[in-house]
Amino acid sequence: MIKKVLVSLVFGIVFSYAQEQTKKSVDCLILKDENSIICKYETIRKNSDEPILIEWIDPKGNVSRTREMTVPAGHGSIYDFRYIKNRSLGTWTFKVSSKDEVYTTTFELK
């Protein structure tokens, strides 16, 4: 009896913790040694495809790249990358639009 209660409690805690960790977000990583900027959109895993629109916005506010992508059913993230070389210096914005939601992050090239 105690074993069943303990196992149920452990599964309940693990399941609730996993649910809290799945939030939509965007983040970018600059890898100077690989001449790359890698940006990630993280979403809640769904049973259907999620169409998204990615925009890279340069320091002057111009959209330098627009890309339509699909997060496949069952997946929780998607990546896009650009090379650092020949990019404008300053603060860039990485923007992801999904239905009526917009997620952004910024990074600086020096």
Side-chain angles (χ1 to χ4, degrees), residues 79-90:
Y79 295 85
D80 197 19
F81 81 97
R82 307 287 303 271
Y83 291 110
I84 296 172
K85 188 176 180 183
N86 298 324
R87 299 265 160 247
S88 301
L89 300 180

Side-chain angles (χ1 to χ4, degrees), residues 35-47:
N35 187 37
S36 297
I37 307 158
I38 301 171
C39 293
K40 175 183 178 181
Y41 167 63
E42 191 169 15
T43 186
I44 299 164
R45 293 176 191 267
K46 299 178 185 171
N47 292 331

Side-chain angles (χ1 to χ4, degrees), residues 16 18 20 29 31 36 38 41-42 46 54 56 58-59 61-62 65 68 72 75 85-86 89 94 101 104-106:
S16 66
E20 290 177 20
L29 180 63
L31 302 172
S36 297
I38 301 171
Y41 167 63
E42 191 169 15
K46 299 178 185 171
I54 292 177
W56 293 76
D58 71 20
N62 301 315
R65 175 181 179 149
E68 292 180 11
H75 290 249
K85 188 176 180 183
N86 298 324
L89 300 180
F94 179 73
E101 302 170 318
T104 61
T105 190
T106 59

Side-chain angles (χ1 to χ4, degrees), residues 17-31:
Y17 179 75
Q19 290 297 323
E20 290 177 20
Q21 295 301 311
T22 51
K23 296 179 183 177
K24 292 187 177 187
S25 65
V26 290
D27 195 22
C28 294
L29 180 63
I30 299 172
L31 302 172

